[in-house]
Amino acid sequence: MGPKVMLLLRRVVLCGFLYLFFVSFGLACGPGRGYGKRRHRTKLTPLAYKQFIPNVAEKTLGASGKFEGKITRKSERFKELTPNYNPDIIFKDEENTSADRLMTQRCKEKLNSLAISVMNQWPGVLLRVTEGWDEDGHHFEESLHYEGRAVDVTTSDRDKSKYGMLSRLAVEAGFDWVYYQSKAHVHCSVKAENSAAAKSGGCFPGTSLVTLKNGSVKFIKDLALGDKVQAADEEGNVVYSDFIMFIDQDTLTCRLFYVIETTEPKRKIRLTAAHLIFVVTSTDNSGLSITYASKVKPGHKVFVFCETMGKLRTATVDKVYTETHHTSFAPLTVHGTIMVDQVLTSCYAVIESHKWAHWAFAPVRLSYRFLSFFFLGGGLNITHQEEGVHWYSKMLFHVGTWLLDRDSFHPLESLNWS
């Protein structure tokens, strides 16, 4: 068979594969019948009086985050505030300065979403804001009202019997912390614009090390398509798995990483809060599970590579703390696992199920293997992306928000819910 015929055959097969590939996505994710069904909207439960969601303090990592400083009209950060002129929201503005209309962009987006929910829930009723940005010092010290990151809301009819459901609607609208604070209003707040990006996404610092099949080590940021990196199979055997792509790569943002240190042997791995890592929580090593990095505690055991034994063994976590690093990379391998700084982790994040995440990326693995067979020289690479979150990952996240409940995602990633 001549070279031209072979080239033509490859192109025909490739076109057929791509057609089936994208048609399968249309069947699975489109509005018609397919592999999945649109989930019915779950019945909303009103918050109880004095209840807050998430169930942590407002200015902690899992909620709206720390206070970053009071904003005044003369401060440099005043430009972070944007006015909200949504006609479907009533602003009390008792100071007659329009201060209640000023807020961060994130707060504005969530408030506008809540306004729509209120009108849908109670036709003829509007959302009412009683307190927004505070420039007069009327709130307690380090209140997020001073940064335009908090609002106190009611309904326009001031029907107190609605405030429990109003609180629930605020949670669904994407506010990072909602508190049914008093009989007079509901308090809602959001993360700072910079911290929302810094504490989500990522996975590993670019300078984390991986081991290649030839025994050499490499910075994660320098991985190239097809590199065979140390990983593990489903049985826990050490394997060398093809690097397929970066699920996310960011060379600009300074992010918060959890540092997990072990003893005997001594290892240290840095990964973002929502990244998955394999742990053993029982004393007899029988309780193997997958969990978020932010849930790992001293006394848990993780899997590390033992060079003398040439295989995996457990190591007890000695301490867990946080650091900030510039650059972050989330590598994906064929096996869905990777050994980073000689500690075994999943390649996945955001949702607390390695199995389901690995299944969701099956089309990427299939594409990589197919194209590697037909383009041995790497002439076509649909998995490559220079910067940011990969398009396939973005698609999966949007499909996930459509099919799954908000609680299925890590708290720091639910900020992208709406």
Side-chain angles (χ1 to χ4, degrees):
M1 189 177 292
K4 291 184 177 180
V5 176
M6 281 296 296
L7 179 61
L8 178 61
L9 179 61
R10 284 187 178 184
R11 288 177 176 175
V12 170
V13 174
L14 176 60
C15 289
F17 170 78
L18 292 176
Y19 173 78
L20 292 173
F21 180 78
F22 287 108
V23 165
S24 67
F25 273 121
L27 291 172
C29 304
R33 296 178 62 186
Y35 305 130
K37 295 181 180 179
R38 179 186 292 270
R39 62 181 173 96
H40 297 290
R41 183 177 177 181
T42 56
K43 184 177 180 180
L44 299 179
T45 305
L47 267 66
Y49 180 54
K50 293 296 182 181
Q51 182 182 359
F52 45 86
I53 294 180
N55 190 27
V56 295
E58 180 180 27
K59 295 192 286 293
T60 56
L61 184 64
S64 294
K66 66 179 182 180
F67 178 72
E68 300 194 347
K70 190 173 183 178
I71 295 178
T72 67
R73 292 184 184 270
K74 294 182 179 180
S75 67
E76 178 67 21
R77 293 179 58 209
F78 183 69
K79 62 185 180 183
E80 296 177 12
L81 304 182
T82 180
N84 191 331
Y85 295 114
N86 189 332
D88 296 322
I89 302 175
I90 297 172
F91 290 88
K92 186 177 180 182
D93 193 24
E94 56 190 355
E95 299 89 357
N96 293 316
T97 61
S98 295
D100 288 338
R101 292 183 180 272
L102 294 174
M103 57 196 70
T104 63
Q105 181 63 33
R106 179 168 176 75
C107 188
K108 179 179 179 179
E109 291 170 359
K110 306 310 175 187
L111 193 67
N112 288 343
S113 295
L114 178 57
I116 295 172
S117 298
V118 167
M119 290 188 293
N120 289 336
Q121 184 72 25
W122 302 292
V125 176
L126 298 179
L127 180 65
R128 175 172 173 261
V129 175
T130 61
E131 289 287 342
W133 174 58
D134 181 3
E135 60 179 331
D136 299 320
H138 292 159
H139 292 82
F140 60 85
E141 187 178 0
E142 297 192 352
S143 167
L144 298 186
H145 282 284
Y146 296 132
E147 293 185 73
R149 292 165 52 194
V151 288
D152 294 339
V153 297
T154 72
T155 54
S156 59
D157 59 3
R158 306 186 198 182
D159 182 353
K160 293 179 173 56
S161 67
K162 292 186 172 76
Y163 293 175
M165 181 57 74
L166 178 63
S167 303
R168 173 59 64 184
L169 294 178
V171 173
E172 296 298 312
F175 279 98
D176 298 304
W177 198 71
V178 177
Y179 181 24
Y180 187 0
Q181 185 174 15
S182 77
K183 296 292 185 180
H185 68 262
V186 176
H187 177 80
C188 312
S189 63
V190 298
K191 298 179 186 296
E193 301 295 306
N194 61 335
S195 65
K199 293 167 186 172
S200 63
C203 282
F204 308 101
T207 52
S208 294
L209 295 173
V210 293
T211 302
L212 304 185
K213 190 173 183 179
N214 62 10
S216 64
V217 294
K218 201 173 194 179
F219 289 135
I220 278 185
K221 63 184 178 68
D222 295 330
L223 281 173
L225 184 71
D227 277 349
K228 295 187 179 298
V229 299
Q230 199 173 63
D233 61 17
E234 292 181 353
E235 304 299 321
N237 301 310
V238 175
V239 296
Y240 289 89
S241 187
D242 284 11
F243 165 70
I244 300 176
M245 70 176 192
F246 286 117
I247 296 174
D248 185 8
Q249 53 183 323
D250 186 343
T251 59
L252 302 174
T253 306
C254 182
R255 296 184 187 276
L256 186 74
F257 292 85
Y258 278 74
V259 184
I260 300 171
E261 288 193 16
T262 68
T263 54
E264 298 181 11
K266 189 173 181 61
R267 299 285 188 269
K268 179 163 63 173
I269 184 172
R270 302 168 179 86
L271 61 175
T272 47
H275 197 80
L276 298 178
I277 185 169
F278 298 96
V279 297
V280 177
T281 56
S282 62
T283 55
D284 60 358
N285 292 349
S286 62
L288 175 63
S289 62
I290 191 82
T291 192
Y292 295 125
S294 60
K295 290 186 177 181
V296 176
K297 307 295 181 187
H300 286 175
K301 294 180 180 180
V302 296
F303 291 90
V304 302
F305 179 69
C306 179
E307 294 174 322
T308 56
M309 299 168 59
K311 62 181 183 179
L312 293 175
R313 58 160 292 183
T314 59
T316 302
V317 175
D318 179 47
K319 52 185 174 180
V320 180
Y321 53 96
T322 58
E323 292 179 349
T324 55
H325 293 272
H326 279 90
T327 77
S328 54
F329 292 80
L332 176 64
T333 67
V334 168
H335 285 78
T337 62
I338 189 168
M339 213 87 69
V340 177
D341 293 320
Q342 297 190 312
V343 179
L344 178 65
T345 76
S346 169
C347 290
Y348 308 114
V350 181
I351 184 170
E352 202 170 11
S353 173
H354 173 82
K355 178 181 178 181
W356 282 106
H358 193 55
W359 178 87
F361 275 89
V364 174
R365 295 192 299 277
L366 181 62
S367 301
Y368 171 75
R369 285 168 173 160
F370 181 88
L371 295 174
S372 296
F373 175 77
F374 281 94
F375 298 90
L376 298 178
L380 180 61
N381 178 14
I382 65 169
T383 65
H384 181 68
Q385 183 160 314
E386 288 291 342
E387 184 85 8
V389 179
H390 195 276
W391 65 266
Y392 184 82
S393 305
K394 289 181 180 178
M395 182 200 71
L396 282 183
F397 184 83
H398 288 303
V399 171
T401 59
W402 183 55
L403 295 174
L404 303 174
D405 293 326
R406 182 186 178 94
D407 292 341
S408 300
F409 296 85
H410 188 278
L412 291 180
E413 297 299 331
S414 64
L415 61 91
N416 296 314
W417 185 268
S418 57

